[in-house]
């Protein structure tokens, strides 16, 4: 019984040391002397006010954007024991002893640090090399503006974190779809993608553009999956989790037409009958109408009945229905049998009318037996399955096949689609094929109980929450429509200034020394990222034109990887940058940082592509590799040079500050000294 104690319990784990190392250096770069300076730095003066309101539990209208990001900052204050008592009225004001500066800045610093290993993971999930992935992470690590923004009580690093998490989660989900669909990890990454997108929108409204980007890429992937004829249907079967797989006698089912044209629709009936006389003078059976209805409805439910028994419930154990079996279909809400006979259909006179039989006690007997023909069967004894089986219903008496004609009935038929019995069908057509979309085992023999069962699940009463929702929706609307301050600021800039780094922001200046913090990017990285974007676009359209002429310069898998990387990285840059040209608000350099992050991810992608596919000889590859190493060295040198302005921990003389200048916009800083 206790034999398992005779052997040790061993747990094995695969640990990527690259990720561990990147996380460690990322934390070091963002957390080092995090509480310095112990003074209000630039926009901390605004975010601090919101945090104090939360700490004091004072209701306020947050007109600067959605509240989730501010709540996360307030969480840091709560964990640090902040009571909210501080007067946020001046940039540069010294924090009092009751303000937990380290805790308040912790969350942005952590998100900035964890964005570094995420950049590494994203490139790996895109299918690029460890070298390229490490290159992307290194660029994120040494980009001065990203460091500065993540070390302060600001939200850009939090937005970047959730943007990258959304992309990484989706890529992991997509790759799980290829190898282990519907596994535990598949569900985890799918859920995390949604959570990350929601959090990105909750931090800043700009996050919605990353959400739309991920949604667009997912839509393209879904479109390709739908058209993949080699894809196993097993994945579709799992959509019906919680429903029985095998259709049995007594099953309650909805039958969807496979053709789906002019619109997707379900086999349907209702109390109304066909008119005695049509407008063209032809007569009908005056039986209950059977149509195809393009909406989910309780009247779409049918019960699969054994003709030899009266019961409408499933036995225990269930008796499955197989190919070739003869069944009756009973309409769930009216208990009338699906029927067809030698009467012309209302709009298709060469086909038979399909109805639910009403016994008028005249010489028109019911003809309600149908033989099941599983079109995609693998054997003649195959069981009828939910979703998976595509079936034809062949009328036993007349050999007519249940078919969607696609014609819209007149007003007496509520504009629903005509269903007919096709006599002597010529070949196979999807309009004659149906599959079970929803399925459950019937349990109620009494009609009233069965109607309740068909109507389930019942709607939840939410009226008691109406007042809360009314207030909640009003608050959301007021936040969306609140006018932001669009006044000019001496450090405001235009989107065109960001790409060329033709602007900077003086965040903080020490009151007694010349130590200072500036939001200033690494010019080597910014310029190279913009160049990589141009190179990518040119190569993409060159390859596209050549492929139009059936000339494939790179293998198909490389092309697909190239396109996906561009869609996420170049697309991420575009959706996070271009909308600012249409915004009438005061803009600053830090608004460009989410877009810059995606550009940085694209840079190693382009470098690896050039090395793998454009450098044809080993000599060229060696020279290109040496050039890349030299370029990375230059980026590291610029990072180290600008480090005093990034961390603000070193006093700078006017001459030292002047030495850092490569643009005339720095003159204002020199004149201050």
């Amino acid at each position: 019984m206790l034999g398992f104690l005779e052997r040790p319990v061993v747990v094995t784990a695969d640990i990527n040391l690259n990720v561990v190392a990147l996380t460690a250096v990322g934390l070091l770069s963002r957390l080092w002397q995090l509480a310095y300076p112990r003074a209000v730095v630039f926009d901390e003066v605004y975010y601090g006010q919101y945090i104090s309101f939360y700490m004091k539990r004072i209701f306020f209208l947050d007109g600067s954007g959605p509240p989730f990001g501010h709540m996360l900052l307030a969480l840091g204050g709560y964990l640090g024991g902040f009571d909210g008592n501080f007067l946020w009225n001046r940039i540069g004001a010294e924090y009092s002893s009751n303000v937990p500066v380290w805790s308040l800045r912790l969350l942005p610093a952590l998100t900035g640090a964890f964005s570094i290993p995420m950049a590494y993971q994203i490139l790996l999930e895109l299918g690029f090399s460890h070298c390229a992935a490490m290159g992307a992470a290194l660029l994120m690590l040494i980009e001065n503006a990203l460091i500065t923004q993540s070390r302060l009580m600001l939200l850009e690093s939090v937005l970047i974190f959730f943007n990258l998490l959304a992309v990484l989660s989706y890529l992991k989900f997509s790759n799980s779809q290829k190898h282990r669909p519907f596994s535990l990890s598949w569900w985890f990454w799918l859920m995390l993608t949604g959570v990350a997108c929601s959090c990105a929108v909750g931090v800043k409204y700009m996050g919605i553009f990353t959400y739309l980007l991920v949604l667009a890429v997912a839509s393209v992937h879904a479109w390709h999956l739908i058209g993949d004829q080699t894809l196993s249907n097993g994945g579709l079967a799992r959509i019906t989790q919680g429903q029985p797989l095998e259709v049995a006698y007594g099953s309650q089912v909805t039958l969807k037409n496979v053709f789906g044209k002019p619109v997707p629709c379900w086999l349907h009936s209702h109390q109304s009958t066909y008119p005695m006389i049509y407008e063209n003078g032809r007569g009908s059976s005056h039986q209950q109408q059977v149509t195809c209805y393009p909406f989910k409805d309780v009247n779409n439910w049918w019960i699969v009945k054994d003709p030899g028994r009266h019961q409408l419930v499933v036995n225990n154990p269930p008796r499955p229905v197989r190919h070739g079996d003869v069944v009756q279909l009973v309409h769930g809400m009216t208990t009338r049998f699906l029927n067809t006979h030698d009467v012309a259909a209302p709009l298709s006179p060469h086909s038979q009318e399909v109805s639910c039989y009403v016994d008028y006690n005249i010489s028109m007997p019911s003809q309600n037996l149908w033989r099941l023909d599983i079109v995609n069967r693998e054997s003649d004894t195959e069981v009828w399955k939910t979703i998976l089986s595509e079936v034809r219903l062949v009328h036993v008496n007349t050999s007519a096949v249940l078919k969607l004609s696609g014609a819209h009935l007149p007003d007496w038929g509520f504009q629903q689609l005509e269903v007919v019995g096709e006599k002597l069908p010529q070949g196979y057509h999807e309009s004659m094929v149906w599959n079970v979309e929803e399925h459950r085992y019937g349990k109620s023999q009494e009609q009233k109980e069965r109607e309740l069962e068909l109507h389930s699940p019942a709607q939840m009463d939410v009226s008691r929450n109406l007042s809360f929702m009314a207030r909640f929706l009003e608050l959301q609307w007021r936040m969306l429509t609140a006018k932001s301050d669009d006044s000019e600021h001496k450090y405001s800039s235009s989107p065109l200034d960001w790409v060329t780094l033709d602007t900077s922001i003086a965040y903080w200046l020490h009151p007694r020394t010349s130590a200072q913090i500036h939001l200033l990017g690494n010019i080597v990285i910014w310029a190279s990222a913009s160049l990589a974007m141009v190179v990518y676009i040119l190569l993409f359209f060159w390859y596209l034109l050549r492929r139009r002429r059936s000339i494939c310069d790179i293998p198909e898998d490389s092309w697909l990887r190239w396109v996906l990387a561009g869609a996420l990285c170049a697309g991420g840059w575009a959706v996070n940058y271009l909308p600012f040209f249409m915004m009438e608000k005061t803009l600053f350099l830090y608004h460009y940082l989410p877009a810059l992050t995606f550009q940085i991810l694209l840079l190693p992608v382009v470098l690896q592509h050039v090395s793998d596919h454009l450098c044809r000889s080993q000599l060229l590859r060696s020279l290109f590799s040496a050039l890349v190493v030299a370029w990375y060295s230059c980026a590291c040198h610029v990072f180290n040079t600008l480090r005093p302005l990034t961390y603000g921990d070193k006093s700078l003389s006017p001459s030292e500050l002047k030495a850092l200048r490569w643009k005339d916009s720095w003159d204002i800083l020199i004149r201050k000294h």
Side-chain angles (χ1 to χ4, degrees):
M1 179 177 177
L2 299 178
F4 70 93
L5 295 177
E6 297 177 0
R7 296 182 179 179
V9 178
V10 179
V11 178
T12 60
D14 293 329
I15 299 177
N16 189 329
L17 294 181
N18 288 349
V19 174
V20 174
L22 290 171
T23 304
V25 295
L27 289 171
L28 178 63
S29 68
R30 269 61 176 179
L31 295 179
W32 185 75
Q33 292 189 353
L34 186 61
Y36 176 85
R38 193 173 174 82
V40 179
V41 179
F42 204 63
D43 277 354
E44 286 185 341
V45 71
Y46 301 111
Y47 291 117
Q49 296 175 28
Y50 302 136
I51 294 172
S52 288
F53 286 142
Y54 281 120
M55 293 298 99
K56 295 180 178 181
R57 304 185 180 220
I58 298 174
F59 177 82
F60 66 98
L61 177 63
D62 189 350
S64 66
F68 180 63
H70 303 154
M71 290 179 176
L72 291 177
L73 296 178
L75 175 63
Y78 174 80
L79 296 176
F82 183 41
D83 57 9
N85 291 318
F86 183 77
L87 187 60
W88 308 87
N89 63 348
R90 181 172 59 86
I91 296 175
E94 294 287 332
Y95 283 122
S96 56
S97 59
N98 69 309
V99 181
V101 181
W102 193 87
S103 296
L104 288 170
R105 293 174 178 169
L106 178 60
L107 181 69
L110 290 177
T111 54
F114 292 143
S115 295
I116 295 168
M118 275 203 296
Y120 171 85
Q121 292 279 8
I122 287 173
L123 258 70
L124 288 186
E125 294 297 325
L126 283 171
F128 292 91
S129 66
H130 284 273
C131 184
M134 285 294 291
L138 177 61
L139 294 176
M140 293 281 290
L141 176 67
I142 64 175
E143 210 299 296
N144 298 77
L146 293 178
I147 296 175
T148 301
Q149 201 71 10
S150 63
R151 286 174 48 81
L152 302 171
M153 193 171 55
L154 307 172
L155 287 179
E156 274 64 37
S157 64
V158 183
L159 175 61
I160 290 169
F161 171 81
F162 285 122
N163 282 347
L164 295 183
L165 181 61
V167 172
L168 175 60
S169 301
Y170 175 73
L171 288 173
K172 284 187 172 290
F173 160 74
S174 180
N175 290 333
S176 297
Q177 170 66 35
K178 300 174 186 175
H179 306 295
R180 292 180 299 166
F182 301 98
S183 63
L184 185 61
S185 63
W186 185 93
W187 284 108
F188 173 78
W189 293 116
L190 175 61
M191 296 294 291
L192 189 57
T193 302
V195 170
C197 288
S198 301
C199 290
V201 178
V203 171
K204 286 200 170 187
Y205 287 130
M206 282 298 297
I208 196 171
F209 294 110
T210 299
Y211 164 70
L212 293 175
L213 173 69
V214 172
L215 189 64
V217 174
S219 301
V220 173
H221 283 170
W223 182 256
H224 287 299
L225 284 176
I226 292 171
D228 189 353
Q229 299 287 335
T230 65
L231 189 65
S232 169
N233 285 325
L236 290 175
R238 293 174 185 262
I239 294 175
T240 65
Q241 188 172 8
Q243 300 185 100
L245 177 62
E246 296 185 346
V247 178
Y249 291 105
S251 285
Q252 298 171 356
V253 299
T254 62
L255 292 165
K256 186 176 184 180
N257 190 266
V258 172
F259 189 45
K261 294 180 181 179
V263 291
C265 61
W266 291 262
L267 190 66
H268 176 94
S269 187
H270 40 243
Q271 293 280 1
S272 300
T273 60
Y274 291 109
M276 288 286 291
I277 302 295
Y278 296 126
E279 293 179 353
N280 59 7
R282 290 192 298 110
S284 78
S285 65
H286 199 46
Q287 300 283 328
Q288 182 172 302
Q289 296 175 18
V290 171
T291 65
C292 204
Y293 190 49
F295 302 99
K296 296 294 185 69
D297 189 86
V298 69
N299 282 310
N300 297 348
W301 285 95
W302 300 81
I303 303 169
V304 181
K305 180 181 175 298
D306 182 350
R309 301 190 179 189
H310 292 290
Q311 66 183 38
L312 297 176
V313 295
V314 175
N315 289 340
N316 189 13
R319 290 193 303 124
V321 182
R322 301 180 183 274
H323 169 74
D325 286 355
V326 174
V327 301
Q328 292 171 313
L329 290 178
V330 182
H331 187 241
M333 296 301 293
T334 62
T335 67
R336 289 182 172 139
F337 291 74
L338 185 68
N339 183 83
T340 189
H341 38 221
D342 193 15
V343 175
L347 302 181
S348 306
H350 297 292
S351 301
Q352 293 181 180
E353 174 194 87
V354 175
S355 63
C356 277
Y357 183 74
V358 180
D359 188 2
Y360 290 119
N361 197 24
I362 57 176
S363 59
M364 184 181 286
S366 63
Q367 299 182 30
N368 51 35
L369 299 178
W370 300 84
R371 187 177 69 256
L372 185 74
D373 177 21
I374 301 179
V375 177
N376 60 341
R377 65 186 181 277
E378 295 181 357
S379 70
D380 288 339
T381 59
E382 184 159 325
V383 174
W384 188 6
K385 295 185 179 67
T386 307
I387 292 288
L388 304 181
S389 297
E390 297 182 348
V391 304
R392 295 196 311 168
L393 293 167
V394 182
H395 192 236
V396 172
N397 297 75
T398 64
S399 298
V401 178
L402 189 70
K403 177 185 176 181
L404 169 67
S405 77
H408 285 273
L409 295 170
D411 290 342
W412 56 257
F414 310 103
Q415 298 296 318
Q416 296 174 16
L417 299 176
E418 182 189 42
V419 173
V420 301
E422 182 72 9
K423 296 183 290 186
L424 303 174
Q426 300 295 320
Y428 163 84
H429 192 269
E430 288 182 338
S431 60
M432 305 176 188
V433 181
W434 308 78
N435 68 4
V436 173
E437 185 176 80
E438 296 172 280
H439 176 211
R440 57 190 171 204
Y441 284 161
K443 301 176 182 177
S444 306
Q445 182 66 26
E446 295 296 325
Q447 175 61 12
K448 288 186 177 180
E449 295 178 1
R450 187 162 55 247
E451 288 182 10
L452 292 175
E453 187 178 349
L454 291 170
H455 275 290
S456 66
Q459 297 272 335
M460 183 179 296
D461 181 16
V462 296
S463 58
R464 60 180 179 273
N465 293 328
L466 189 59
S467 60
F468 166 77
M469 287 304 299
R471 285 179 292 161
F472 175 78
L473 292 174
E474 181 185 5
L475 179 60
Q476 301 303 312
W477 174 251
R478 289 189 178 274
M479 285 192 297
L480 281 170
T481 57
K483 292 185 177 180
S484 59
D485 182 15
D486 57 357
S487 60
E488 286 296 320
H489 190 283
K490 69 176 181 178
Y491 291 120
S492 63
S493 53
S494 71
L496 290 177
D497 297 328
W498 304 340
V499 177
T500 58
L501 200 55
D502 198 20
T503 182
S504 64
I505 304 176
Y507 268 3
W508 172 79
L509 179 66
H510 197 284
R512 292 176 297 276
T513 70
S514 59
Q516 48 199 283
I517 295 176
H518 288 257
L519 183 69
L520 184 63
N522 188 317
I523 186 63
V524 173
I525 296 176
W526 287 53
S528 302
S530 298
L531 179 61
M533 179 67 67
V534 174
V535 171
Y536 177 86
I537 294 173
L538 292 176
L539 284 175
F540 174 80
F541 282 107
W542 172 254
Y543 290 146
L544 199 62
L545 288 172
R546 300 263 292 172
R547 290 173 71 86
R548 186 64 178 167
R549 301 290 296 173
S550 300
I551 303 172
C552 298
D553 298 284
I554 58 177
E556 186 65 20
D557 60 335
S558 298
W559 166 250
L560 295 176
R561 187 164 60 244
W562 178 250
V563 171
L564 179 59
L568 289 173
C569 299
W573 171 83
V575 300
N576 283 282
Y577 174 58
L578 298 180
F580 284 109
F581 285 94
M582 297 177 285
M583 294 184 183
E584 296 181 358
K585 59 180 289 186
T586 307
L587 300 175
F588 296 94
L589 179 63
Y590 56 72
H591 285 123
Y592 186 61
L593 296 182
L596 174 71
T597 303
F598 284 99
Q599 248 191 348
I600 289 175
L601 295 180
L602 184 65
L603 181 50
V605 169
V606 173
L607 292 177
Q608 180 178 332
H609 183 82
V610 172
S611 176
D612 292 348
H613 300 288
L614 301 185
C615 295
R616 303 289 183 176
S617 66
Q618 186 61 43
L619 177 61
L620 280 177
R621 288 195 185 94
S622 300
L623 291 174
F624 183 75
S625 299
L627 185 62
V628 170
V629 171
W631 171 82
Y632 268 100
S633 300
C634 290
C636 292
H637 174 71
V638 172
F639 159 73
N640 189 60
T641 302
L642 297 178
R643 184 187 171 282
L645 294 178
T646 300
Y647 290 92
D649 57 350
K650 179 183 177 182
S651 299
L652 296 172
S653 65
S655 59
E656 289 175 322
L657 186 58
K658 186 176 181 179
L660 298 176
R661 187 189 71 182
W662 59 78
K663 297 222 178 256
D664 293 336
S665 58
W666 285 79
D667 286 341
I668 185 174
L669 304 176
I670 297 173
R671 286 196 295 269
K672 286 184 177 180
H673 301 281

